[in-house]
Amino acid sequence: MAHLPAPLRRMVFHTHPARMVAIAFGITVVIGTTLLALPVATTDGTSAPLLTALFTATSAVCVTGLVVVDTGTYWSGFGEGVILALIQVGGFGIMALASLLALLMAGKLRLRMTLSLQAETKSSGIGDVRSVLRRVALITLTVEAVTATILTLRLFLGRGEPFDRSLYYGVFHAVSAFNNAGFGLYADSLVGYAEDPWVMLPVAGAVILGGIGFPVIIELLRHRSRRRTTGRVGWSLHLKLTLLTTAVLLVAGTAMTLLLEWSNRGTLGPLGVGGKALGAFFHSAMSRTAGFNATDIAAMEPATLLGTCALMFIGGGSGGTAGGIKVTTFAVLGVAILAEVRGEPSSGIFGRKLAPHVLRQALTVALLGVGLVMASSIALLAMVDARADLVLFETVSAFGTVGLSAGLTYDLPAAAELILIMLMFIGRVGPITLVSALALRERRRRYQLPEERPIIG
């Protein structure tokens, strides 16, 4: 590295961890775009348009799933392999993968890389990073392998598909599911398997596990082993908030979809009672940033689309493959609102008081998300002739790195595609991480301003 120019050396070695995460994702998107723009990446042997390659690469790295071309027919085996690799890299984490390679090659991590990995994986401390890295890799490979095995056997034994095709489709959809990417090789996503629990449930299970976040899974595994030795279990506030909020939103989303789509002949109407329940549960799970669909999204009731937008905006757990503002952000804001309505001086839940800076962070993430979605929706409405609810749906899907689409993405002009690309990148990197990365410098105020209370409400 000594031969590098001084400005480049400073960028590599002295960059703020948040900025390094954003740069790493950006570089990976560029690499993916270059590979997908090669003639060998398409089925007809012609180079994909640059914007198509950029959109697809960004969607894969940011584990979103929105596409402007059909994945299974437009891209060749090489192109699909590139997409699958980008999904795995983006879901596992750019800095996590780089750190893993550094450990394998040199057996040590630089402090700057350790801090970047901590910022990306939400590790609790610097000394915890190596352990987190090993566990993240083990969890990822285990869940993907189990899901791929179930899907492969189902396609081969239950659907009569050739074994090589069953294995390929099983692995691709398993990786896409656990990483909450939503990329599928079927033109209609998983509509053809709407009443097949051996396909729907493994995919939904992988999505939920990837969506609750690695910190939660790792803590559950630690407490399981600790309970065997000590007989005691002490869950952290983050774990309790994530599991409780995830369960509530999953049940609420299922009930909402069942209620609103029960008689809709374009979605759940033609299915039996079991198929309706399975379809509603699957849609609720996918709305948490996964992107697969087993029903026609465009045929859903406007009320269902709006409710799905709320689920997509909230997203999944922190430090995992999910997007959105995260369930803990939503829960913290809910607790703060409840405390304010009750007139309590501070916010608390599960016997713990929430720190003021946590409330500020939650409010910042939520308001930045609302501002980005609203501004982008207004811009898209000025560019396309489409219903406002469909435009909002595509916008929230991009920001939440969900990938569900009402069919609008295929017909967007170039400027609109660039807006969605920007939203997908921000949604994966994170609003606060990106803002921190773009900040010119950190400032510390050495004085206190006089206090004054404006009228609120």
Side-chain angles (χ1 to χ4, degrees):
M1 291 291 183
H3 62 281
L4 292 176
L8 186 57
R9 286 203 305 271
R10 284 195 298 269
M11 185 186 75
V12 173
F13 294 112
H14 303 288
T15 295
H16 187 280
R19 185 175 298 172
M20 184 175 289
V21 171
I23 291 173
F25 272 93
I27 292 175
T28 307
V29 169
V30 172
I31 294 174
T33 302
T34 303
L35 293 175
L36 291 178
L38 297 175
V40 71
T42 61
T43 54
D44 60 5
T46 60
S47 298
L50 182 60
L51 188 57
T52 298
L54 175 62
F55 192 98
T56 305
T58 305
S59 183
V61 172
C62 299
V63 290
T64 303
L66 284 176
V67 294
V68 291
V69 293
D70 180 58
T71 304
T73 58
Y74 185 85
W75 302 107
S76 65
F78 174 81
E80 291 171 1
V82 170
I83 291 173
L84 191 64
L86 294 176
I87 290 172
Q88 188 71 83
V89 171
F92 188 77
I94 310 298
M95 298 313 302
L97 182 61
S99 300
L100 180 61
L101 292 176
L103 282 175
L104 292 175
M105 295 175 64
K108 61 181 180 179
L109 293 177
R110 293 180 180 271
L111 177 60
R112 180 63 57 178
M113 182 173 288
T114 301
L115 292 173
S116 300
L117 176 61
Q118 182 185 356
E120 185 180 62
T121 62
K122 308 297 187 295
S123 304
S124 58
I126 294 178
D128 191 43
V129 166
R130 291 180 182 233
S131 175
V132 167
L133 192 61
R134 289 191 295 267
R135 289 176 179 268
V136 167
L138 180 60
I139 291 168
T140 299
L141 295 177
T142 301
V143 176
E144 290 176 353
V146 171
T147 306
T149 300
I150 297 174
L151 294 179
T152 299
L153 292 176
R154 179 57 180 171
L155 294 177
F156 178 58
L157 300 177
R159 293 281 180 159
E161 298 280 358
F163 181 76
D164 55 346
R165 176 183 169 90
S166 299
L167 179 61
Y168 179 62
Y169 273 55
V171 171
F172 190 99
H173 288 88
V175 173
S176 183
F178 180 70
N179 290 287
N180 280 216
F183 275 88
L185 298 178
Y186 299 103
D188 60 354
S189 191
L190 296 179
V191 173
Y193 300 93
E195 295 186 273
D196 189 342
W198 289 100
V199 173
M200 303 283 278
L201 292 180
V203 170
V207 165
I208 293 171
L209 283 175
I212 63 176
F214 291 115
V216 169
I217 300 176
I218 291 172
E219 185 176 347
L220 285 173
L221 293 175
R222 285 176 177 171
H223 284 305
R224 182 182 177 184
S225 60
R226 186 178 303 171
R227 185 175 184 178
R228 290 177 178 176
T229 56
T230 64
R232 295 179 297 176
V233 176
W235 287 3
S236 68
L237 180 60
H238 174 75
L239 175 61
K240 294 176 181 178
L241 282 179
T242 300
L243 293 183
L244 176 62
T245 311
T246 296
V248 169
L249 292 176
L250 190 59
V251 172
T254 302
M256 175 199 72
T257 307
L258 270 177
L259 179 65
L260 298 176
E261 300 296 323
W262 184 273
S263 301
N264 187 343
R265 298 193 61 81
T267 55
L268 300 182
L271 305 179
V273 175
K276 293 178 191 289
L278 182 61
F281 170 77
F282 189 81
H283 178 72
S284 179
M286 297 308 106
S287 300
R288 310 299 308 291
T289 79
F292 293 107
N293 65 282
T295 54
D296 185 4
I297 300 296
M300 285 184 165
E301 300 291 343
T304 310
L305 292 178
L306 184 58
T308 303
C309 283
L311 293 176
M312 293 191 300
F313 185 78
I314 295 171
S318 299
T321 59
I325 64 172
K326 304 298 188 294
V327 293
T328 45
T329 302
F330 177 73
V332 165
L333 291 176
V335 170
I337 291 173
L338 184 61
E340 187 63 30
V341 170
R342 290 177 173 177
E344 298 175 352
S346 60
S347 304
I349 188 173
F350 294 124
R352 293 292 186 269
K353 177 182 175 181
L354 297 177
H357 76 274
V358 173
L359 300 179
R360 291 197 304 270
Q361 286 180 347
L363 188 60
T364 300
V365 169
L367 290 182
L368 282 175
V370 170
L372 283 168
V373 168
M374 291 305 299
S376 301
S377 298
I378 293 172
L380 289 181
L381 281 171
M383 299 177 188
V384 300
D385 182 18
R387 287 163 33 198
D389 58 337
L390 298 181
V391 171
L392 178 64
F393 190 92
E394 302 292 315
T395 305
V396 176
S397 181
F399 170 75
T401 67
V402 181
L404 289 176
S405 176
L408 192 63
T409 305
Y410 284 96
D411 301 319
L412 292 177
E417 289 185 17
L418 289 174
I419 290 177
L420 293 186
I421 289 173
M422 177 269 297
L423 284 174
M424 289 188 291
F425 188 82
I426 294 176
R428 181 63 182 96
V429 175
I432 285 187
T433 300
L434 190 61
V435 170
S436 300
L438 296 176
L440 294 179
R441 58 178 177 173
E442 295 180 357
R443 299 178 180 178
R444 179 170 296 179
R445 182 179 293 163
R446 301 183 181 278
Y447 58 89
Q448 291 290 337
L449 297 173
E451 182 177 303
E452 186 172 349
R453 297 186 179 183
I455 300 174
I456 302 296

